[in-house]
Amino acid sequence: GTSGVVWVRTRGLNQMGEPVLDYVRWVMVRKRAPDAPAPDTVVPDLDPVVDPAGLAVPKGLDFSDYDFELAGEPHRLGDYHPGERIDHVDGVTIEEAEHMLATRLWQNTAKVHFDATFRNDGRRLIYGGHVISMARALSFNGLANAQMIVALNGGAHANPCFAGDTIRAWSEVLDKAETRAPGVGAIRLRLVATKGDSAAFALKGADGKYLPEVLLDLDYWALMPV
């Protein structure tokens, strides 16, 4: 009863005033007066997934001569199939201080990420953007040729991450699509970060809620050579 969720649309423009980014997100906001009644719920009507036909592929992108040997992994779009799950195997333990420089660079100034005295348990909360970055890096073990995230369909920071947690990750292939660019296809992936066994591929319990070891559930489109 002390906070609520606010839906926000953000648009990014280049120097010519042309839109290059447009997305909707929901953020948790503290109430000014905890005893104030909550307003009526208003949820925007949004598409469940970005239409692959509308993906913005960079002009001139050409994967027809993609060098798989230099990439270090031979897998292309045709090697992946919807429903397939990939264990990214490796783990990264988050230390007390390493995440703070990145969090500052991302211009997040929330005190709970830097000052341990702002939590009663004295633990430093890890910024969710750092978890996304670590999970994305881990995903290259198995998805090395999934280049360029071109759309985010949705996602959730399912549970908090603290210094000392070890992040692991797995991905599920949700869909594939063609693009007009030569040799370029699109792959829709669900990236899940956990602080438990990534090979378990567990996401939610019987009650429909995220399991406590699940940190991140991210649904996105990336470009990949066909």
Side-chain angles (χ1 to χ4, degrees), residues 11-195:
R11 299 177 71 241
L13 309 176
N14 64 14
Q15 67 271 30
M16 280 80 73
E18 301 165 337
V20 296
L21 185 70
D22 190 332
Y23 65 94
V24 174
R25 64 190 174 114
W26 55 98
V27 294
M28 185 176 292
V29 180
R30 292 181 65 89
K31 292 170 66 177
R32 178 173 296 148
D35 57 348
D40 293 336
T41 299
V42 179
V43 178
D45 183 18
L46 302 171
D47 293 331
V49 61
V50 175
D51 186 345
L55 295 176
V57 179
K59 185 178 180 180
L61 186 67
D62 186 343
F63 282 168
S64 56
D65 292 325
Y66 193 91
D67 193 323
F68 290 91
E69 185 173 349
L70 285 178
E73 191 171 280
H75 308 305
R76 61 183 71 216
L77 190 68
D79 296 320
Y80 297 93
H81 305 282
E84 177 182 2
R85 291 182 173 182
I86 304 164
D87 179 11
H88 300 305
V89 182
D90 301 312
V92 176
T93 301
I94 304 297
E95 301 297 343
E96 277 289 342
E98 67 179 43
H99 62 95
M100 291 194 289
L101 178 60
T103 303
R104 286 289 188 194
L105 288 172
W106 288 319
Q107 300 182 21
N108 187 322
T109 58
K111 295 179 175 61
V112 291
H113 301 315
F114 304 97
D115 188 342
T117 66
F118 269 80
R119 287 184 56 89
N120 293 332
D121 57 9
R123 306 172 76 188
R124 216 172 345 235
L125 183 67
I126 306 304
Y127 172 42
H130 193 67
V131 176
I132 293 176
S133 180
M134 291 294 99
R136 170 69 173 156
L138 290 170
S139 75
F140 279 87
N141 187 348
L143 286 166
N145 296 319
Q147 306 286 340
M148 303 181 188
I149 294 178
V150 287
L152 298 176
N153 300 305
H157 292 296
N159 285 290
C161 180
F162 296 98
D165 287 340
T166 297
I167 298 175
R168 303 185 187 277
W170 58 269
S171 291
E172 180 181 2
V173 180
L174 299 177
D175 199 358
K176 301 190 297 183
E178 298 179 353
T179 77
R180 296 181 179 180
V184 180
I187 186 168
R188 181 184 170 197
L189 298 163
R190 164 179 254 167
L191 175 60
V192 177
T194 72
K195 53 182 177 181

Side-chain angles (χ1 to χ4, degrees), residues 201-217:
F201 298 130
L203 191 64
K204 297 181 179 180
D207 57 1
K209 296 181 179 180
Y210 285 105
L211 297 173
E213 62 268 23
V214 175
L215 302 174
L216 171 73
D217 181 9

